Amino acid sequence: MSVAVDRLVEVVRLLREHCLWTAALTHASLVEYLVEESYELVEAIEDGQPDEELRGELADVLLQVVLHSEIARERGAFDLDAVAEALTAKMVRRNRHVFTADGGLQPSFPATVEEIIASWDAAKREERLERAAATERDDVLPALAAAEGALEGLPRHLPALALADKALGRAERRRALDAGEPAAAGEPAGALPAGVGEFASEDELGELLLDVVRAARDRGLDPERALRAAVRRLAV
């Protein structure tokens, strides 16, 4: 690690030792702060805030990573170095269009995004097959397909719209790969179901979604829960 990161880890460690509030933090109690800091970072990016503000929000998210790593170190599980090593190995393993198995650079690189996506998806499928015998996690949705090449599970705690978008995207790529063709970007938009308003921009789409939420509220329905349930039905 760099001098700055080493000092950050030391400061957090000292806080855990000498600050009663920090010492009482657990993985579970930190979740609300992780969610809050992540949304504040998103807000800084989407609002185009100055670099100083962006740096501060990134620092707040980094603090969450360091705190979780320190808590894990205290119970003998792993530390921040191990987190960085795992991430490096994952990036090398999944980006085999750039890296060789030993971490060196490939002699050439894909010329299209479609090739990159196909390579990434293939790497993830191989990882999933290697973990097939492991105990099934209870914090992921069932894979969207039950066949050998089933898609990797999706986190249940994603907001419903993000969850639906990812689930549909993975399903589309799965169908393209099963057909022996890379997933293509910019394909013609699918037809809208009867009765659904037309939209041609994100502003129009936002208004349409707002209308759906308003209608759901009027009927006493929970739109978040309804969409999450619909995504789960994709696995059936």
Side-chain angles (χ1 to χ4, degrees):
M1 295 290 181
S2 69
V3 173
V5 174
D6 286 343
R7 176 56 178 162
L8 172 60
V9 172
E10 179 185 26
V11 166
V12 169
R13 187 167 298 171
L14 291 171
L15 285 170
R16 290 281 294 173
E17 292 175 2
H18 303 290
C19 171
L20 291 176
W21 187 87
T22 308
L25 293 172
T26 65
H27 290 305
S29 68
L30 279 169
V31 168
E32 64 175 293
Y33 302 108
L34 176 59
V35 172
E36 179 181 346
E37 300 299 355
S38 297
Y39 276 113
E40 288 182 1
L41 173 58
V42 170
E43 183 176 310
I45 293 170
E46 292 186 342
D47 290 352
Q49 295 179 11
D51 287 342
E52 183 177 350
E53 294 296 325
L54 177 60
R55 180 182 63 189
E57 298 302 342
L58 285 167
D60 290 340
V61 173
L62 176 60
L63 174 59
Q64 298 301 307
V65 176
V66 176
L67 277 167
H68 280 287
S69 299
E70 179 58 20
I71 293 170
R73 185 197 66 80
E74 292 168 1
R75 57 186 171 83
F78 56 82
D79 59 10
L80 186 62
D81 280 346
V83 172
E85 289 168 0
L87 178 58
T88 299
K90 183 184 200 178
M91 291 295 96
V92 168
R93 186 174 64 249
R94 290 193 177 177
N95 290 281
R96 57 190 183 187
H97 58 283
V98 173
F99 300 105
T100 59
D102 61 2
L105 284 176
Q106 295 283 7
S108 61
F109 310 104
T112 67
V113 172
E114 288 75 23
E115 292 177 88
I116 294 172
I117 292 174
S119 175
W120 175 276
D121 285 343
K124 290 190 69 175
R125 285 201 310 279
E126 289 181 8
E127 287 179 13
R128 186 176 182 281
L129 289 173
E130 291 172 359
R131 297 197 305 267
T135 303
E136 184 177 349
R137 287 170 47 188
D138 61 3
D139 62 338
V140 296
L141 287 174
L144 296 180
E148 180 180 0
L151 298 177
E152 187 176 0
L154 293 168
R156 283 181 176 156
H157 296 298
L158 276 177
L161 273 176
L163 183 65
D165 182 57
K166 283 185 172 292
L168 291 172
R170 291 188 182 190
E172 289 166 5
R173 292 205 301 275
R174 177 71 253 159
R175 287 194 296 271
L177 289 168
D178 286 344
E181 300 174 356
E187 292 183 345
L192 290 170
V196 175
E198 292 288 340
F199 59 89
S201 68
E202 288 189 354
D203 285 344
E204 293 177 358
L205 173 58
E207 292 298 326
L208 175 60
L209 292 173
L210 188 59
D211 287 342
V212 171
V213 173
R214 183 180 294 112
R217 283 177 53 82
D218 290 344
R219 291 162 174 77
L221 302 175
D222 184 331
E224 175 81 11
R225 186 168 60 238
L227 181 55
R228 196 175 295 278
V231 172
R232 287 196 177 94
R233 288 195 292 273
L234 288 172
V236 178

